[in-house]
Amino acid sequence: QVQLVESGGGLVQAGGSLRLSCAASGRTFSSGAMGWFRQAPGKEREFVAAIRWITSNRYADYRDSVKGRFTISRDNAKNTVYLQMNSLKPEDTAVYYCAASFATYTRVPIRAQDFGSWGLGTQVTVSS
């Protein structure tokens, strides 16, 4: 079982930046996948970004609306995944959830059901 703890959320003006962190504890793994999803009030949870790694190789995928603005990365030594969010827009406002998977994939998983472990979420609010 892995525990995921998100941090880094907050209130920022449109055009600003935030960096979310997701620290995984309880297990270290040389391969796997972690991702970020978000849920705005009254909306479905949606995929934001995910990263798959096998030892030092990394593969990432993003939803179209964040490509070029968000970057997902992983620090193996810290067992932590980051989501750097730049040029934030009011429509990015949501609770952001970190997720992890130990399954073996040949692609970057992007569906919520691909992930078995979830954090409690961190609020991101972008004011206009």
Side-chain angles (χ1 to χ4, degrees):
Q1 185 71 20
V2 64
Q3 292 78 43
L4 304 176
V5 178
E6 303 101 332
S7 61
L11 173 64
V12 65
Q13 289 188 331
S17 298
L18 283 174
R19 189 177 80 155
L20 305 183
S21 300
C22 176
S25 61
R27 173 175 173 170
T28 59
F29 38 108
S30 60
S31 65
M34 292 179 73
W36 290 95
F37 291 75
R38 67 188 181 188
Q39 188 166 18
K43 294 188 176 181
E44 298 282 321
R45 187 172 298 191
E46 62 183 22
F47 166 76
V48 176
I51 187 167
R52 178 174 73 93
W53 68 91
I54 301 174
T55 58
S56 61
N57 296 313
R58 306 278 193 274
Y59 309 91
D61 200 0
Y62 302 87
R63 71 179 297 106
D64 286 345
S65 62
V66 308
K67 286 181 180 177
R69 300 189 298 124
F70 292 11
T71 302
I72 189 170
S73 61
R74 171 172 169 82
D75 185 328
N76 272 2
K78 296 181 178 180
N79 216 13
T80 298
V81 167
Y82 304 96
L83 184 67
Q84 178 66 44
M85 305 185 295
N86 299 327
S87 302
L88 282 160
K89 304 175 180 180
E91 51 264 43
D92 295 318
T93 295
V95 177
Y96 283 69
Y97 296 91
C98 176
S101 170
F102 306 113
T104 299
Y105 291 100
T106 57
R107 56 172 176 79
V108 178
I110 63 171
R111 304 175 306 167
Q113 55 263 46
D114 292 333
F115 296 88
S117 299
W118 291 82
L120 297 179
T122 184
Q123 176 70 47
V124 171
T125 303
V126 184
S127 63
S128 57

